[in-house]
Amino acid sequence: MTTEQRADWLQLQEITAVFDGFKALDIRHLGVDRGELRTVIGPNGAGKTTMCDVISGKTRPTSGKVFIGDQDVTGWADSAIAALGVGRKFQTPSVFDSLTVYENMELALPGRRGVFTNIFRRESTEERDRIDALLNRVHLISRRDQPARDLSHGQRQWLEISMLMVSGAKLLLVDEPAAGLTDHETALTADLLLELKGEHTLIVIEHDMEFVRRLGGKVTVLCEGKVLAEGSLDQVSADERVRTAYLGRAGERSA
Ligand SMILES: Nc1ncnc2c1ncn2[C@@H]1O[C@H](COP(=O)(O)OP(=O)(O)OP(=O)(O)O)[C@@H](O)[C@H]1O
Ligand SMILES: [Mg+2]
């Protein structure tokens, strides 16, 4: 093992994901440090969501290995990977509309996924304080007892990120959190994710370059399932292959 590999907390090694003969993912090596906020960018269909599917166990890789911490989690069920502390925020928010903001948070508490535990277990004062502290942090405390359906799109995104936090997830996979948000909401979302790094390891997929710039940190560029470039946003933007990949796609679209 090289020194570089040992430093990584999350590792994908020689990962492929093949669907009906189509190689959606072909990653030789991708490593993320503990507490890092890594942004993943790339054109539509580059394999970004598939990469999260492989890490979370939703999709079993066709070949290769996934390591989280010291664990080889390759082939583990998604529930087992979630229990290890991997949480996911999908492209569209998945909160329960009819439940209040607080009730959604309650459901996200560790061990709350079973129907019976939800009915019979009451949260402790400590858990209640933790939820309220989180709601305060994401500016949702005034909405605490309102149904989630009354939230704006941005507020729903923050609720979902808070649900990941209360669930105790160590690794957060966040797919396009800024899609459909106003500039102000986008800025707040970036600030929230920045607050989370260190305490959590984050992989954030995003198309909005202003948002990516605000997040700072290391960027991985995926293209046709492969890691095309890695570095700061300025470094990868200056990379000729990255420019060609994006320009190529733009050309296809306008053709
Ligand atoms: N379960 C699946 N079965 C068949 N093909 C799939 C499956 N999942 C993903 N793909 C294909 O893999 C490729 C990568 O898709 P993916 O959703 O990972 O891209 P993406 O980078 O997340 O794109 P976007 O920016 O549009 O969200 C696409 O061509 C997609 O059609
Ligand atoms: Mg996607």
Side-chain angles (χ1 to χ4, degrees):
M1 230 185 209
T2 67
T3 321
E4 185 206 356
Q5 282 172 334
R6 225 177 292 130
D8 299 323
W9 181 71
L10 168 76
Q11 278 191 67
L12 303 184
Q13 286 179 1
E14 308 289 347
I15 284 288
T16 66
V18 182
F19 302 110
D20 298 325
F22 172 74
K23 211 184 253 186
L25 217 51
D26 186 8
I27 295 180
R28 272 188 44 207
H29 180 262
L30 188 134
V32 178
D33 285 339
R34 185 176 206 139
E36 185 182 342
L37 192 170
R38 174 70 57 91
T39 312
V40 178
I41 63 172
N44 294 116
K48 304 181 297 294
T49 298
T50 306
M51 190 186 87
C52 289
D53 290 344
V54 164
I55 296 169
S56 68
K58 182 170 179 250
T59 295
R60 197 177 275 241
T62 310
S63 61
K65 293 216 167 282
V66 182
F67 293 91
I68 298 173
D70 296 332
Q71 301 265 17
D72 177 353
V73 300
T74 319
W76 284 26
D78 52 359
S79 53
I81 293 181
L84 196 66
V86 177
R88 184 138 188 212
K89 209 201 87 43
F90 290 94
Q91 271 175 263
T92 31
S94 57
V95 300
F96 292 104
D97 271 349
S98 56
L99 298 182
T100 66
V101 167
Y102 186 84
E103 286 165 343
N104 269 288
M105 291 289 280
E106 251 185 316
L107 269 184
L109 284 167
R112 287 306 181 94
R113 285 292 151 173
V115 177
F116 295 107
T117 44
N118 283 330
I119 293 171
F120 294 119
R121 201 180 140 235
R122 280 203 66 79
E123 74 281 12
S124 64
T125 313
E126 192 193 320
E127 285 171 332
R128 211 175 311 145
D129 289 349
R130 211 166 129 237
I131 291 178
D132 285 343
L134 276 171
L135 291 178
N136 212 9
R137 191 160 156 193
V138 298
H139 314 291
L140 283 178
I141 196 73
S142 61
R143 301 294 194 128
R144 185 186 189 275
D145 299 313
Q146 291 175 19
R149 79 165 69 83
D150 294 347
L151 299 180
S152 71
H153 181 58
Q155 289 170 328
R156 293 168 73 90
Q157 300 280 3
W158 303 327
L159 173 57
E160 230 192 342
I161 294 169
S162 312
M163 286 164 67
L164 280 182
M165 289 156 71
V166 85
S167 75
K170 290 182 236 160
L171 171 65
L172 311 185
L173 306 170
V174 187
D175 205 346
E176 301 202 23
L181 299 190
T182 64
D183 288 350
H184 177 64
E185 289 173 332
T186 300
L188 267 173
T189 305
D191 292 346
L192 176 60
L193 294 173
L194 282 168
E195 268 186 49
L196 297 182
K197 77 170 184 180
E199 201 179 324
H200 304 264
T201 306
L202 294 107
I203 295 185
V204 180
I205 296 174
E206 194 44 67
H207 283 290
D208 178 338
M209 285 307 138
E210 267 313 303
F211 182 77
V212 174
R213 185 166 296 286
R214 202 174 171 109
L215 291 178
K218 204 166 174 182
V219 176
T220 296
V221 185
L222 275 191
C223 188
E224 294 175 356
K226 294 189 168 66
V227 175
L228 189 61
E230 224 165 58
S232 69
L233 183 60
D234 284 337
Q235 282 167 340
V236 300
S237 312
D239 189 315
E240 202 50 48
R241 290 166 310 157
V242 175
R243 298 168 81 97
T244 309
Y246 275 113
L247 290 173
R249 291 290 167 135
E252 267 170 42
R253 271 201 293 270
S254 60

